[in-house]
Amino acid sequence: MPLSNRIETAMGAALASTLADTAPARLTSALTYATQPGGARIRPTILLSVALACGDDRPELSDAAAAALELMHCASLVHDDLPCFDDADLRRGKPSVHKAYSEPLAVLTGDSLIILAIETVARTAALDPARASDMLLTLTRCTGAPYGICAGQGWESEPQIDLSAYHKAKTAALFVAATQMGAISAGHDPEPWYDLGALIGEAFQVADDLRDALLDETTLGKPVEQDHLHGRPNAVALLGVKGAYERLSDILAGAIASIPSCPGEAALAEVVRLKAKSIMPKMPAGHRA
Amino acid sequence: MPLSNRIETAMGAALASTLADTAPARLTSALTYATQPGGARIRPTILLSVALACGDDRPELSDAAAAALELMHCASLVHDDLPCFDDADLRRGKPSVHKAYSEPLAVLTGDSLIILAIETVARTAALDPARASDMLLTLTRCTGAPYGICAGQGWESEPQIDLSAYHKAKTAALFVAATQMGAISAGHDPEPWYDLGALIGEAFQVADDLRDALLDETTLGKPVEQDHLHGRPNAVALLGVKGAYERLSDILAGAIASIPSCPGEAALAEVVRLKAKSIMPKMPAGHRA
């Protein structure tokens, strides 16, 4: 089964567990709305790719972990879109949850998806209590405080930002969860898989900085300068557009080099290369060497 | 150790795990602010009382479960106080989290406390994987959708409310979590403990209805009539003040009668009687028989 089918099937099964005759229908509808159709499902794809590279001997575990990770990611998007954060009217080409439903339902949708994500992993304890428990503690560490995505978002309310801690928590944490939960689901030690997740996360961050900077160039019609970059240091501000592209290539080479020795090492390197290509913004003509 | 010490010690240990040199300080401060000093800690007190009635052979498990349940309750209060729900400026005599910190930090505080609650239970898998997993699935069922407190709050966004499902999810669910997690933590079957939790939850609901109605009488200087009761059927609207008191007594008698046979049955009945007394609003002179 292609990975995308595995992910959608596992997410569908998780969401089905929130339905009941005596459930509030608008909330359960919002849970589906917030998660389908998805974006690139890049985190669960990496998770399953790592699981496969490690032998994937218990696909029920890796499927549940993949669904849980994507549900958690969707929860973070719903809350990030709220008026008190990004105040985003649109998400994945349709109205954001608070626009389509209401702000109360958006808060509850995020909360419910967090709990559903956890529940989805917790249910696998019946199959393998040790792996389930390790996957759960990885998921909570990568999502809560002090090191997870909640902490990452929390840095934006600080008077002084620790940029390294901020990027690690806000962007890299869920990729670390992807590589480590993938390894655990297949009975492998998660420790050697930390670097791959952290480096993919860093690559995402630099790619985002590049996209923002190039968008500013296009929409503002001006070349990128430090003061256009929302006043916050980032890869483009520090290294320029060309330098940021070089940095991105270096990080991705490091990510591939960091893949621990495992049965599916070569195939996984290919997946990382393909995903890297898909996130790399096209370099504008003016910046080519 | 008195139960209140056990609860505060366990909550303190859970909160300490959110501190780190590289954590966003305002968020971690808000986590403590939202949870200390506490209210009556009635849910974890019931949980520990049930654990003790069942022998409490693994107090590390019951302590973790008690802390987790109270953290989850605190998370729900922080989100319920948000401007888009109750818009409450005060909570437990001090500014609510969004007033004291900010709305973004209040959303993140609730999210982080949900994850911390789960993590606190998940860590006990190292001591007893089977009980940890049963406690976790009880906690997620009683907090998410379709039957937990998220669903309970979700009913308030429905055009038609299923009142029985609403009260069960919004109020009773966390009391069911209290009795069932208490039993599981001590190695007992949770099933026979459902009724006690559900009935205590129902008693809380009727006591709340009475408090609201009596407050209306005091502040409005008018006797309680159905149309004063915020347009939503409740025990006082259905039964009158005296009838609601009688109903409350009946529910509490039923709760005590429902206690499953266990070593500490009599002591637990006494705890329920005392807690019941503490939530029972004083009947005003005009309504006495």
Side-chain angles (χ1 to χ4, degrees), chain B residues 21 34 36 75 79 82 102 109 115 120 122 127 184 188 236 261 280:
Chain B
D21 285 347
Q36 292 171 351
H79 281 184
L82 284 170
S102 68
T109 296
I115 295 166
T120 303
L127 301 169
I184 297 165
H188 282 229
V236 180
S261 171
M280 184 90 76

Side-chain angles (χ1 to χ4, degrees), chain A residues 25-26 79 104 111 118 136 158, chain B residues 25-26 79 84 111 136 158:
Chain A
R26 294 193 71 219
H79 280 184
D111 293 354
I118 300 284
L136 256 180
E158 289 294 314
Chain B
R26 296 193 69 219
H79 281 184
C84 70
D111 293 353
L136 258 179
E158 290 294 315

